[in-house]
């Protein structure tokens, strides 16, 4: 068989289809030709520090030298049952995907983007953030091909999916063959989003930053139904909703958890009454915040018109071909948009997995601090398992949380906060666990095991506490207030804890309240002293930081 120059465009039946080894392909494509000596010269025993491979350190990557950028990317180590749509979704945030070749028998694929710049952005981004498909790390690098020409007869399904995606990107109606793929015009600009396995916080702001990569997000309503966090999100155009659904459905926000399940809603518009932590109308910044609770028991009162009451939307409309957003030289992808969103909001980043769950808190007031007070404060951001105040350095303590994500979340919010008149420093500890003292050894009650505590806020998956994690603030949210407790009672309680109560507001039939102290330090002390305070009548006061002001 004739060897074809690498500079030429290669067709399936007469081409080399792998950038690593000649492949005996499955029925989707024909067998590739062998490499010539000049092709083999591209390989060496080590890779350059600026390798064109995006994330991953397997042995094949180590044998590759830097290859010139190309708009065709080679993707390896894909899961066996991966779909064309999932592979295309890897490239969508960076620009238009113009071609795809699936090598399912080899767990590989080639993806062609519209421009070389888009491919460079994609590779650069995934060099910093490991690309994942179905929770499996995959490897992305430049292909030696400058263009990917495919025979649709040999790659029919992949081409049909690509055609459908292109139609959505262009805002037109796809015309795929019957039986191959039927992508109907988008029925609504409103998506219903369910978060499965929600072990870490997903807030309205995080959702807005993820979904805004696909178009203008106009309104969001979040609520909990059947113990599951859900949201309704309205785009300005149904085409944008369809693109977001295609790219994000089934993706994880954080590693191995917080899975997005996305469907079109039967509604075609949302009616948002309040702008707060649970609902937002981005077209109406003048809306009130409601009663300060930021939530609504009956979300149905917020919803707009069912789709049957309005004429159907046209599938037409423009769609930006580039979804990329500059972020440290890369772009935001569906797989990691929430990590960037969370980091931007001062919350947990994806890198928490594999990181120690133990924190070192230093510069503490050793005359005031106790294991219980640290348990309560750090427990706002994670489930504290153990606390040890160091025997020979009592202004420092080790705090062990459930995992690295919770530790990073606590560190990001508490480092630099003033606690008992001293600025606390919080860093990740080199320790993997906090050791308990040997039985019979008195360590002056400096170590305490909280692993069985009933006060953990995040033990229950899908708990509403995941939606209400905020930095320390002067305003506290109080809940579980028993009947008959007055504003004066609560003002006096928190004044006695130290500080001045500046403002107070009841809501939810006096079962909840917002209480504003004169300083963040005073609010921190009030939370440490009075969270779980026995109010009588079998009611223990619940205290957390609020994003609201009075």
């Amino acid at each position: 068989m004739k060897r074809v120059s690498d500079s030429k465009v290669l067709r399936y039946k007469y081409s080399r289809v792998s950038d690593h080894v000649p492949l005996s392909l499955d029925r989707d494509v024909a067998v590739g030709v062998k490499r010539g000596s000049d092709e083999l010269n591209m390989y060496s025993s080590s890779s350059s520090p600026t390798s064109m491979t995006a994330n991953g350190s397997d042995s094949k990557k180590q044998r590759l030298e830097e290859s010139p950028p190309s708009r065709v990317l080679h993707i390896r180590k894909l899961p066996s049952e991966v779909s064309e749509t999932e592979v295309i979704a890897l490239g969508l945030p960076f620009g238009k995907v113009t071609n795809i070749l699936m090598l399912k028998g080899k767990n590989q694929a080639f993806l062609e983007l519209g421009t070389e710049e888009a491919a460079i952005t994609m590779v650069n981004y995934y060099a910093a953030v490991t690309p994942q498909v179905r929770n499996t790390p995959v490897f992305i690098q430049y292909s030696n091909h400058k263009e990917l020409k495919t025979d649709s007869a040999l790659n029919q399904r992949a081409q049909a999916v690509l055609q459908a995606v292109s139609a959505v990107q262009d805002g037109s109606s796809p015309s795929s063959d019957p039986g191959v793929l039927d992508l109907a015009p988008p029925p609504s600009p409103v998506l219903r989003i369910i978060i499965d396995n929600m072990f870490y916080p997903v807030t309205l702001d995080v959702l807005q930053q993820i979904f805004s990569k696909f178009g203008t997000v106009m309104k969001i309503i979040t609520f909990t139904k059947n113990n599951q966090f859900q949201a309704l999100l309205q785009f300005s155009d149904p085409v944008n909703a369809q693109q977001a659904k295609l790219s994000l459905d089934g993706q994880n926000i954080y590693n191995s958890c917080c899975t997005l399940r996305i469907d079109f809603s039967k509604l075609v518009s949302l009616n948002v009454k309040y702008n707060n932590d649970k609902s937002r109308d981005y077209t109406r910044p003048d809306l009130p915040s409601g009663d300060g609770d930021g939530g609504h028991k009956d979300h149905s009162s917020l919803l707009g018109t069912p789709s049957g009451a309005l004429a159907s939307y046209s599938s037409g409309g423009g769609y930006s071909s580039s979804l990329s957003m500059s972020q440290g030289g890369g772009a935001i992808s569906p797989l990691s948009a929430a990590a960037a969103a969370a980091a931007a909001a001062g919350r947990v980043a994806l890198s928490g997995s594999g990181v120690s769950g133990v924190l070192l808190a230093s510069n503490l007031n050793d005359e005031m601090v106790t294991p219980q007070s640290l348990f309560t404060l750090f427990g706002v951001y994670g489930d504290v398992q153990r606390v040890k105040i160091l025997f020979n350095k009592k202004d420092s303590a080790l705090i062990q949380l459930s995992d690295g994500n919770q530790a990073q979340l606590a560190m990001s919010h508490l480092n630099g906060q003033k606690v008992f008149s001293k600025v606390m420093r919080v860093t990740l500890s080199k320790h993997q666990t906090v050791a308990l003292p040997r039985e019979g050894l008195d360590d002056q009650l400096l170590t305490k095991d909280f692993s069985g505590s009933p006060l953990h806020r995040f033990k229950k998956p899908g708990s509403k506490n995941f939606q209400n994690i905020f930095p320390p603030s002067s305003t506290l949210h109080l809940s579980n207030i028993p009947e008959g407790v007055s504003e004066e009672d609560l003002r006096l309680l928190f004044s006695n804890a130290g500080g001045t109560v500046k403002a107070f507001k009841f809501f939810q039939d006096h079962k909840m309240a917002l209480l504003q102290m004169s300083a963040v330090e005073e609010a921190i002390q009030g939370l440490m002293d009075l969270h779980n305070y026995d109010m009588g009548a079998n009611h223990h006061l619940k205290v957390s930081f609020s994003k609201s002001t009075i």
Side-chain angles (χ1 to χ4, degrees), residues 138-250:
V138 298
F139 299 88
I140 302 175
Q141 64 192 58
Y142 298 121
S143 167
N144 294 326
H145 304 312
K146 296 301 180 185
E147 185 179 355
L148 192 63
K149 285 197 174 180
T150 55
D151 183 343
S152 60
L154 295 173
N155 202 28
Q156 192 176 49
R157 175 171 174 79
Q159 293 303 306
V161 173
L162 183 65
Q163 182 187 25
V165 172
S166 298
V168 172
Q169 286 182 315
D170 297 335
S172 61
S173 179
S175 55
S176 58
D177 294 334
V180 177
L181 186 70
D182 181 19
L183 188 64
S188 166
V190 180
L191 295 175
R192 182 176 68 107
I193 303 158
I194 297 175
I195 310 291
D196 284 341
N197 303 317
M198 198 175 98
F199 295 111
Y200 298 105
V202 177
T203 65
L204 183 148
D205 293 326
V206 167
L207 289 175
Q208 193 272 338
Q209 292 193 53
I210 296 171
F211 282 83
S212 64
K213 308 303 174 296
F214 299 91
T216 302
V217 174
M218 298 178 69
K219 304 171 186 178
I220 305 177
I221 296 169
T222 65
F223 54 94
T224 300
K225 184 177 180 182
N226 299 329
N227 248 351
Q228 211 167 25
F229 178 81
Q230 301 189 26
L232 293 167
L233 183 146
Q234 180 179 340
F235 280 100
S236 59
D237 193 310
V239 170
N240 302 147
Q242 188 170 38
Q243 183 62 51
K245 179 180 182 298
L246 182 68
S247 297
L248 295 176
D249 185 31

Side-chain angles (χ1 to χ4, degrees), residues 98 165 167 194 323 386 430-431 462 465 494:
T98 53
V165 172
I194 297 175
L323 301 169
R386 295 175 182 176
K430 63 182 179 181
H431 297 282
N465 292 327
F494 279 83

Side-chain angles (χ1 to χ4, degrees), residues 93 119 315 390 478 508:
S315 62
L390 302 186
L478 314 181
Q508 286 281 341

Side-chain angles (χ1 to χ4, degrees), residues 55-307:
N55 262 282
S57 58
D58 68 336
S59 58
K60 283 188 178 181
K61 190 194 93 168
Q62 298 300 326
R63 295 198 302 269
L64 296 173
E65 286 186 345
E66 185 172 3
S67 182
S70 165
R71 65 192 184 99
V72 179
L73 299 177
H74 185 202
I75 305 171
R76 298 185 290 114
K77 296 204 170 180
L78 289 164
S80 298
E81 301 303 318
V82 69
S83 68
E84 291 84 352
T85 303
E86 290 171 292
V87 176
I88 292 171
L90 286 171
L92 281 178
F94 306 96
K96 188 175 181 64
V97 176
T98 53
N99 211 342
I100 180 174
L101 167 61
M102 299 289 291
L103 307 178
K104 291 191 175 181
K106 300 294 179 181
N107 301 98
Q108 300 179 16
F110 288 90
L111 198 66
E112 179 187 274
L113 279 76
T115 65
E116 191 173 286
E117 290 74 18
I120 292 172
T121 302
M122 180 173 169
V123 169
N124 286 345
Y125 179 73
Y126 285 132
V129 177
T130 303
Q132 292 196 7
V133 177
R134 300 194 181 192
N135 297 327
T136 302
V138 298
F139 299 88
I140 302 175
Q141 64 192 58
Y142 298 121
S143 167
N144 294 326
H145 304 312
K146 296 301 180 185
E147 185 179 355
L148 192 63
K149 285 197 174 180
T150 55
D151 183 343
S152 60
L154 295 173
N155 202 28
Q156 192 176 49
R157 175 171 174 79
Q159 293 303 306
V161 173
L162 183 65
Q163 182 187 25
V165 172
S166 298
V168 172
Q169 286 182 315
D170 297 335
S172 61
S173 179
S175 55
S176 58
D177 294 334
V180 177
L181 186 70
D182 181 19
L183 188 64
S188 166
V190 180
L191 295 175
R192 182 176 68 107
I193 303 158
I194 297 175
I195 310 291
D196 284 341
N197 303 317
M198 198 175 98
F199 295 111
Y200 298 105
V202 177
T203 65
L204 183 148
D205 293 326
V206 167
L207 289 175
Q208 193 272 338
Q209 292 193 53
I210 296 171
F211 282 83
S212 64
K213 308 303 174 296
F214 299 91
T216 302
V217 174
M218 298 178 69
K219 304 171 186 178
I220 305 177
I221 296 169
T222 65
F223 54 94
T224 300
K225 184 177 180 182
N226 299 329
N227 248 351
Q228 211 167 25
F229 178 81
Q230 301 189 26
L232 293 167
L233 183 146
Q234 180 179 340
F235 280 100
S236 59
D237 193 310
V239 170
N240 302 147
Q242 188 170 38
Q243 183 62 51
K245 179 180 182 298
L246 182 68
S247 297
L248 295 176
D249 185 31
Q251 302 286 2
N252 291 332
I253 295 177
Y254 300 112
N255 282 342
S256 304
C257 68
C258 299
T259 307
L260 292 164
R261 303 295 179 198
I262 305 172
D263 288 304
F264 285 108
S265 170
K266 293 180 180 178
L267 305 164
V268 293
S269 66
L270 300 178
N271 179 24
V272 176
K273 295 181 179 179
Y274 304 110
N275 282 339
N276 52 40
D277 298 329
K278 300 298 186 335
S279 61
R280 196 78 52 82
D281 186 339
Y282 296 95
T283 68
R284 294 279 311 279
D286 57 314
L287 287 178
S289 61
D291 290 332
D293 59 329
H296 308 273
K297 285 186 177 180
D298 181 12
H299 68 273
S300 61
S301 63
L302 299 171
L303 306 185
T305 313
S307 57

